[in-house]
Amino acid sequence: MPSSVPRHFSGLVAIVTGAGSGIGRATAVALAESGARVLGVGRRQAALAETARAHDGIAVLPVDVRADGAAGRVVSTAVQRWGRLDLLVNNAGAASLMSLADTDHATITDLFDLNVTAPSLLAHAALPHLRETSGAIVNVSSTYGHRPLAGGAHYAATKSALEQLTRSWALELAAEGVRVNAVAPGPTETEALAAAGLPPEDVRRVRAAERERVPTGRVAVPEDIADWIVRVADPRGAFVTGQVLTVDGGLELS
Ligand SMILES: NC(=O)c1ccc[n+]([C@@H]2O[C@H](COP(=O)([O-])OP(=O)(O)OC[C@H]3O[C@@H](n4cnc5c(N)ncnc54)[C@H](OP(=O)(O)O)[C@@H]3O)[C@@H](O)[C@H]2O)c1
């Protein structure tokens, strides 16, 4: 662990979903480097094992967050292991490109199950523990949670829903000391586009087009986003709740 990293999360316990790759892995590592004990969740055991190898403070649980009973299992695993829960990072998510002309029931349902229902049930399961610790939830949205996305309306709609859940839960829980915020990444170099089914040449084309559009001239790396998830989650930010912080190199301004 780099000695320069301040350990603001010492003694705290976090759950990070989607921790086997991309933003989730970078967030699990950043939180562990800041002193937290982290339960990383995802479906692929090998990917999670690689995340766990990055830091001693990370334990992992292979689980599909959409499965029946998954939320309770995830939360009780963290609490049984470490006796408390201070932070839930709802990061697992997927994009899907689907025009209105091609819209089908299964794709809509799958997207909402993963991007909206699973984070809701995880937050529900975490709540009693977060009340005890005056803890926090950070939801991972997208620039397209608050901007339209032609050809990806349902992805945008799921992230928009997540942003409204963020604000509504923040208001509902503020008096109990539980904070709820969201970080909305712009284009970030991860497996997301491949996971959405794009062939490699299309991934390269989309990323090149995004690079052109981002005012700061590059797409993010996962650590750019993880850094802000950690800052938003930091207990020293106790007066910030219900906010959606866009981290996109200025894309939404253009
Ligand atoms: N990359 C971008 O440009 C970008 C931009 C804006 C927002 N975001 C958001 O950032 C978040 C992280 O995405 P990423 O870019 O880091 O992509 P990623 O590398 O594909 O990460 C998504 C993670 O979610 C996990 N996951 C997917 N379905 C799951 C399920 N049913 N149960 C448990 N875990 C599941 C995946 O692991 P398994 O497949 O092993 O389960 C994977 O590790 C997502 O919410 C995404 O919408 C990304």
Side-chain angles (χ1 to χ4, degrees):
M1 184 203 62
S3 56
S4 58
V5 179
R7 293 174 66 82
H8 297 304
F9 289 79
S10 280
L12 305 190
V13 172
I15 291 169
V16 179
T17 65
S21 61
I23 294 166
R25 174 180 287 166
T27 301
V29 172
L31 285 167
E33 286 178 346
S34 302
R37 283 159 298 175
V38 181
L39 182 68
V41 175
R43 289 168 303 177
R44 289 166 299 160
Q45 187 136 26
L48 289 173
E50 201 177 324
T51 300
R53 273 195 294 279
H55 198 286
D56 285 350
I58 303 174
V60 292
L61 178 70
V63 68
D64 184 333
V65 293
R66 297 166 305 180
D68 275 351
R73 217 181 121 210
V74 168
V75 169
S76 63
T77 300
V79 172
Q80 278 166 18
R81 190 177 178 109
W82 293 302
R84 58 186 291 144
L85 180 63
D86 300 273
L87 171 65
L88 168 65
V89 181
N90 270 322
N91 165 76
S96 183
L97 294 176
M98 180 174 70
S99 67
L100 181 55
D102 292 332
T103 293
D104 65 84
H105 188 269
T107 308
I108 298 172
T109 306
D110 285 353
L111 267 180
F112 274 85
D113 278 354
L114 179 60
N115 291 359
V116 181
T117 307
S120 301
L121 295 177
L122 279 157
H124 169 75
L127 182 57
H129 306 284
L130 298 178
R131 280 180 167 140
E132 280 178 20
T133 56
S134 299
I137 298 171
V138 180
N139 293 319
V140 178
S141 180
S142 162
T143 305
Y144 298 113
H146 44 276
R147 293 208 45 180
L149 180 60
H154 286 87
Y155 171 67
T158 61
K159 294 301 190 180
S160 197
L162 196 56
E163 293 188 2
Q164 280 296 59
L165 293 172
T166 300
R167 288 186 274 263
S168 301
W169 291 338
L171 195 54
E172 195 173 312
L173 302 174
E176 299 183 71
V178 176
R179 298 186 303 122
V180 189
N181 291 290
V183 168
T188 307
E189 207 69 70
T190 69
E191 297 171 11
L193 294 178
L198 265 67
E201 62 274 21
D202 287 3
V203 172
R204 277 192 291 278
R205 192 176 42 74
V206 170
R207 289 296 182 221
E210 286 171 344
R211 252 189 305 279
E212 288 286 306
R213 288 175 46 224
V214 176
T216 45
R218 67 174 177 91
V219 301
V221 293
E223 290 72 17
D224 289 317
I225 311 303
D227 190 35
W228 281 101
I229 292 172
V230 172
R231 290 182 201 213
V232 165
D234 192 316
R236 292 172 306 161
F239 213 51
V240 174
T241 195
Q243 301 305 301
V244 177
L245 178 70
T246 303
V247 183
D248 71 350
L251 176 62
E252 77 173 10
L253 305 173
S254 64

